[in-house]
Each structure stands twice: as structure tokens, then as C-alpha cells.
Amino acid sequence: DVVMTQSPLSLPVTLGQPASISCRSSRSLVHSDGNTYLNWFQQRPGQSPRRLLYRVSNRDSGVPDRFSGSGSGTDFTLKISTVEAEDVGVYYCMQGIDFWTFGQGTRVEI
Amino acid sequence: EVQLVESGGGLIQVGGSLRLSCAVSGFTVSGHFMGWVRQGPGKGLEWVSVISGGGKTYYADSVKGRFTISRDNSKNTVYLQMNSLRAEDTALYYCARVSDSWGQGTLVTVSS
């Protein structure tokens, strides 16, 4: 099984400041097709998860450009360039190379 | 507009069975990977089961042999048959098009 490990698990942030979440996988997420199957999700309080980024760095429709993703192989990062109040919630990374598994989640709070 | 609407959750005793349904509009389920993700009270997200466009099925080890995913193309609906339910299956169950569209979830509570 591919294990996804996020850090930190809790991230106090300041409005207008940047924030960063790390995600590490127990094996490479590079598929034989050349793609890297690592997604990022946001779950606001009381809401369903929403995908923000797919294949490491591709933003989904409607996702603000203050969200960006980077990384390769087994190490990945989600960055928020300037945190806004609506960014409060829990963020999950997810691998899609062997079944599908999420990280434990990182709670972002002001 | 893409919509996924789950139903079928409820309160059930340990050892019982439930069938969850996910009615989809805006796309055809047979053309996509579709799955169920659950979230226990105060916990993170866990993929439970997925069905591919070709009908291949996948299960988390925690539910293998107890849960069955299926779909009805004529109804554009995905199902999750859950048997031999355990207290630890208590969760909000989300239907998702892997992984870009999600429903609002249906709550399953397994009581001893």
C-alpha cells in the first residue's frame, strides 16, 4: 500500500501571508505513462472535499491562482501565496498510482 | 451541470446491511472511474471502493469481502452494497467521480 504522510498536521496562518504543506509518499508516484498521480484537495468546514490540483500542479477550474503545487517522485508541496479567510479548512494530498489513498490531512486555521 | 446525489444511509445495527445509491447527472457513469470515499467522525478521508469505466472494481482492504460496488448504466447510478457492517464503518459516505466531482454525502451509523 502507498502511504501518504503530510506535515504539518496543523498549520496556524496569518491572513495575507504565505503557507506551505508538505506531502510525502512511500513510493514514487510516477506512472509508466509518464504522469505523476498526486492531487490536492481542500475541505472547508461542513463541506465536501474539493479538488484543487491534479497531477501535481494543474489547477482545477475555478481554483484561485494563489494555490500552486510542486514536487516530483515522492515529495510534494502545496503552497498558498497569500492566505485568505476562505482558505480555512483541511487540506489532503492523494495518490492515484496504486488504488487511491489520502494523507492524514493538514488543518489550516487563522 | 455535474451532480452526484447520494442516498441510502441511516442507522443500522452491527452485522446488518445497507445499500447506498449515487444518482448522477451531467455525465455518464460508464465513462468514468466512480468511487466511494468515507469520512469517520472527526477523521480523514478514506477511499472505500472504485469502479472503472470498464467495470473493474477495487476495494480497500478494510471492506474487501463485505462491500460491493456496482452501477446501473440505464439509471446512471452507482451503488455500494455494504454487508456485515461494523461499528468502525460509521462514517459520512461520499460518492465521487475519481476525483474531480463529489456529492454531499450520506451518513451511515452502525450501532452495537
Side-chain angles (χ1 to χ4, degrees):
Chain A
D1 292 4
V2 181
V3 177
M4 305 298 289
T5 304
Q6 291 181 227
S7 62
L9 299 185
S10 178
L11 181 60
V13 297
T14 302
L15 294 179
Q17 294 299 305
S20 178
I21 299 169
S22 173
C23 174
R24 181 165 292 177
S25 60
S26 59
R27 59 166 273 204
S28 173
L29 301 185
V30 181
H31 194 272
S32 56
D33 64 9
N35 290 310
T36 301
Y37 290 97
L38 185 283
N39 300 334
W40 287 98
F41 292 81
Q42 174 195 61
Q43 188 175 30
R44 291 172 172 152
Q47 295 187 12
S48 302
R50 166 200 183 195
R51 196 177 71 180
L52 298 175
L53 300 163
Y54 60 96
R55 280 184 262 129
V56 182
S57 59
N58 297 277
R59 267 189 301 276
D60 276 277
S61 175
V63 174
D65 61 7
R66 64 179 181 274
F67 291 96
S68 64
S70 62
S72 61
T74 61
D75 287 288
F76 305 93
T77 302
L78 172 68
K79 290 184 179 174
I80 309 174
S81 58
T82 50
V83 173
E84 298 192 7
E86 65 180 18
D87 300 336
V88 165
V90 182
Y91 291 78
Y92 297 90
C93 60
M94 186 204 88
Q95 67 82 16
I97 200 167
D98 181 8
F99 195 59
W100 294 266
T101 50
F102 292 96
Q104 317 97 301
T106 295
R107 185 172 301 275
V108 171
E109 49 203 0
I110 307 294
Chain B
E1 182 192 4
V2 169
Q3 274 198 314
L4 297 86
V5 179
E6 303 95 334
S7 60
L11 176 63
I12 188 78
Q13 288 196 322
V14 168
S17 298
L18 274 179
R19 189 177 81 154
L20 306 183
S21 300
C22 173
V24 171
S25 57
F27 67 94
T28 55
V29 297
S30 60
H32 297 270
F33 280 73
M34 297 294 300
W36 292 90
V37 174
R38 67 184 179 186
Q39 187 167 36
K43 296 190 175 179
L45 302 171
E46 178 190 20
W47 280 100
V48 172
S49 183
V50 173
I51 184 166
S52 75
K56 185 173 181 180
T57 57
Y58 306 79
Y59 298 94
D61 287 343
S62 56
V63 306
K64 211 170 283 184
R66 299 188 299 124
F67 290 12
T68 303
I69 191 170
S70 63
R71 67 178 185 228
D72 184 331
N73 294 338
S74 67
K75 295 182 179 178
N76 215 32
T77 298
V78 179
Y79 303 98
L80 185 68
Q81 177 67 44
M82 305 187 296
N83 298 332
S84 302
L85 282 161
R86 305 167 179 168
E88 55 265 35
D89 296 319
T90 293
L92 185 62
Y93 284 74
Y94 294 102
C95 174
R97 182 173 72 178
V98 180
S99 57
D100 63 348
S101 301
W102 296 64
Q104 291 302 304
T106 186
L107 183 62
V108 172
T109 304
V110 184
S111 164
S112 53

